């Protein structure tokens, strides 16, 4: 029989494993966690939890200095702090441990959403996530390229109360990262979105694009206008040539992605440096999602090909043809995607409403701050159509 503290510790570990599961799976097995007082003694019960959740095996050891992702997982799982309590759990209590892990999974985002495997027009499998009443107004979230769908969990959970909320994960980035020789262009990524809408038989859709997903959302509205009712573009990472400046972050990241996309060797040479830089600059609560595309050099190169295509895609010619009502949201303090890009996009869209917030950045966007979720409510449920 577990103590109340033991049950709480198991529940916390299961929750952390669910958050980091995609990252850990992409690392390959085993996943290394730091050695420490009693950590090795805690691993048997930790691996019981992990087995229930489809988590890779955990082992103690030292990870390579150029692979800080293992350090991120170690920090998220917090086994060093839980080791003493976990080491007390006897094998006779493992059935209770398994039941707690299964209970944690039942309330997780991966269970909250229904997952549907969709085949895109060029044969590439794409995983879509669906939540909310089937007959409710549909909302398609075009999330940042290459990131796990869990990154937009606050948006999906909020929207699913009154909408049929749908999102999808980028081609070639999930479900086992092996060889991938399909297209990585913006056109191909828009094709994935079209395939999701077709598979779910959705039209009259509000399409919401976040960060680089705003580019895909805009192109989707132009490509499949009959299926789209309205559009919202949130802190978009836009390339408009000389019409709008880019932040230092946009310029530096694009330069690195352009180099890394060229070959596996160039991706490998850049990977360790950018991994450490990213790990040092992302908040702990979002690290497992924001760092996912950087787990391995191969995954990083694929991400650079996909997201690099978005960051270099000039949508200037597309904008005048988007006749749908559009909401464009940014803030004066966004140091990731330059707000002037959103201003120019709003100016060129035929029917745009611009919301310029006094403060806010991509972190507030991904956390789904109440101000942002209130804004989308006015567009997601047919109120502005």
């Amino acid at each position: 029989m577990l103590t109340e503290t033991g049950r709480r510790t198991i529940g916390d570990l299961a929750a952390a494993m669910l958050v980091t599961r995609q990252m850990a799976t992409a690392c390959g097995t085993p996943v290394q966690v730091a050695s420490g007082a009693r950590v090795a003694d805690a691993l048997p019960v930790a691996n019981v939890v992990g087995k229930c959740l489809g988590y890779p095996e955990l082992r103690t050891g030292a990870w390579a200095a150029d692979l800080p992702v293992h350090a991120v997982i170690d920090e998220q799982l917090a086994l060093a702090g839980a080791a003493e309590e976990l080491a007390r759990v006897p094998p006779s209590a493992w059935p209770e441990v398994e039941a707690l892990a299964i209970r944690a999974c039942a309330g997780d985002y991966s269970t909250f959403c229904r997952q549907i495997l969709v085949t895109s027009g060029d044969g590439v499998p794409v995983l879509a996530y669906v939540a909310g009443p089937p007959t409710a107004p549909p909302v398609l979230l075009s999330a940042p390229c290459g990131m796990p769908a869990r990154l937009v969990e606050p948006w999906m959970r909020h929207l699913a109360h009154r909408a049929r909320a749908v999102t999808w994960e980028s081609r070639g980035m999930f479900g086992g990262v092996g060889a991938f020789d399909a297209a990585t262009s913006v056109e191909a990524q828009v094709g994935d979105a079209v395939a999701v809408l077709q598979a779910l038989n959705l039209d009259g859709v509000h399409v919401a694009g976040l960060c680089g997903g705003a580019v895909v959302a805009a192109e989707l509205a132009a490509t499949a206008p009959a299926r789209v009712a309205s559009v919202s573009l949130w802190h978009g990472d836009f390339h408009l040539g000389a019409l709008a400046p880019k932040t230092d972050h946009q310029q530096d990241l694009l330069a690195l992605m352009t180099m890394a996309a060229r070959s596996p060797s160039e991706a490998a040479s850049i990977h360790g440096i950018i991994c450490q830089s990213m790990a040092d600059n992302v908040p702990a609560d979002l690290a497992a999602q924001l760092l996912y595309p950087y787990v391995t050099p191969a995954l990083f190169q694929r991400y650079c090909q996909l997201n690099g295509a978005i960051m270099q895609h000039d949508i200037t010619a597309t904008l005048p043809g988007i006749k749908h009502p559009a909401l464009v949201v940014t803030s004066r303090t966004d140091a990731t995607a330059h707000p002037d890009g959103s201003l120019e996009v709003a100016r060129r869209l035929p029917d745009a409403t611009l919301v310029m917030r006094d403060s806010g950045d991509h972190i507030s966007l991904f956390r789904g701050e109440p101000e942002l979720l209130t804004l989308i409510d006015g567009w997601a449920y047919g109120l502005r159509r």
Side-chain angles (χ1 to χ4, degrees):
M1 177 73 72
L2 294 172
T3 65
E4 181 60 34
T5 301
R7 285 192 290 271
R8 187 166 56 250
T9 301
I10 296 295
D12 290 345
L13 176 60
M17 283 184 164
L18 288 165
V19 168
T20 59
R21 182 168 56 187
Q22 283 176 297
M23 173 181 277
T25 301
C27 283
T29 55
V31 174
Q32 296 171 335
V33 292
S35 304
R38 305 208 68 181
V39 169
D41 294 336
L43 285 188
V45 69
N47 279 320
V48 168
V49 175
K51 187 175 182 180
C52 290
L53 303 179
Y55 204 88
E57 181 188 0
L58 299 174
R59 294 183 187 174
T60 57
W63 48 79
D66 62 345
L67 293 176
V69 167
H70 285 275
V72 171
I73 294 173
D74 186 60
E75 181 179 351
Q76 296 278 316
L77 298 184
L79 281 176
E84 186 172 349
E85 190 64 40
L86 292 174
R88 293 195 187 103
V89 177
S92 60
W94 286 4
E96 188 177 358
V97 169
E98 292 171 346
L100 289 169
I102 293 169
R103 185 185 305 169
C105 193
D108 183 60
Y109 175 65
S110 59
T111 306
F112 172 76
C113 293
R114 183 164 59 102
Q115 298 176 40
I116 300 173
L117 192 63
V118 173
T119 302
S120 195
D122 60 354
V124 173
V126 175
L127 189 61
Y129 294 73
V130 186
T135 58
V139 179
L140 180 69
L141 282 175
S142 179
C145 175
M147 303 293 173
R150 189 181 290 271
L151 183 63
V152 294
E153 177 179 359
W155 294 75
M156 290 287 286
R157 287 190 182 271
H158 173 82
L159 289 166
H161 288 296
R162 296 173 59 191
R164 192 177 193 199
V166 181
T167 191
W168 79 99
E169 289 177 328
S170 298
R171 54 175 40 218
M173 292 291 294
F174 300 89
V177 186
F180 183 80
D181 57 3
T184 55
S185 64
V186 171
E187 181 182 13
Q189 295 178 64
V190 171
D192 295 342
V194 171
V196 170
L197 294 181
Q198 290 173 340
L200 296 171
N201 195 27
L202 296 180
D203 53 24
V205 180
H206 176 75
V207 180
L210 282 60
C211 187
V215 174
V216 176
E219 290 292 350
L220 173 62
T223 300
R227 289 191 178 270
V228 176
S230 57
V231 181
S232 57
L233 309 174
W234 305 76
H235 290 251
D237 184 359
F238 298 118
H239 173 64
L240 302 168
L243 296 173
K246 293 188 177 185
T247 64
D248 290 343
H249 172 83
Q250 285 172 296
Q251 295 179 54
D252 294 344
L253 185 59
L254 179 56
L256 287 172
M257 285 189 167
T258 301
M259 289 188 288
R262 289 196 292 246
S263 70
S265 61
E266 291 197 67
S269 67
I270 297 169
H271 176 249
I273 298 170
I274 196 168
C275 263
Q276 191 60 62
S277 174
M278 292 293 297
D280 291 341
N281 289 285
V282 299
D285 61 319
L286 297 174
Q289 281 68 61
L290 296 179
L291 294 177
Y292 174 84
Y294 303 88
V295 170
T296 67
L299 191 62
F300 173 58
Q301 185 192 15
R302 182 107 22 97
Y303 174 59
C304 291
Q305 292 167 338
L306 288 160
N307 200 46
I310 288 174
M311 294 186 74
Q312 297 178 79
H313 184 75
D314 192 336
I315 64 168
T316 307
T318 300
L319 297 172
I322 300 174
K323 308 300 184 182
H324 312 83
L327 172 69
V328 181
V329 181
T330 187
S331 77
R332 293 182 174 86
T333 60
D334 191 343
T336 302
H338 204 294
D340 283 2
S342 291
L343 266 65
E344 188 63 27
V345 164
R347 191 177 74 80
R348 290 175 175 269
L349 285 167
D351 185 9
T353 299
L354 173 68
V355 174
M356 174 66 75
R357 301 194 295 152
D358 289 332
S359 63
D361 57 14
H362 277 54
I363 301 306
S364 65
L365 182 67
F366 301 147
R367 287 176 177 150
E369 289 191 348
E371 177 190 357
L372 300 174
L373 298 181
T374 299
L375 269 175
I376 199 172
D377 282 349
W379 292 74
Y381 312 126
L383 303 180
R384 296 292 181 92
R385 302 182 189 177

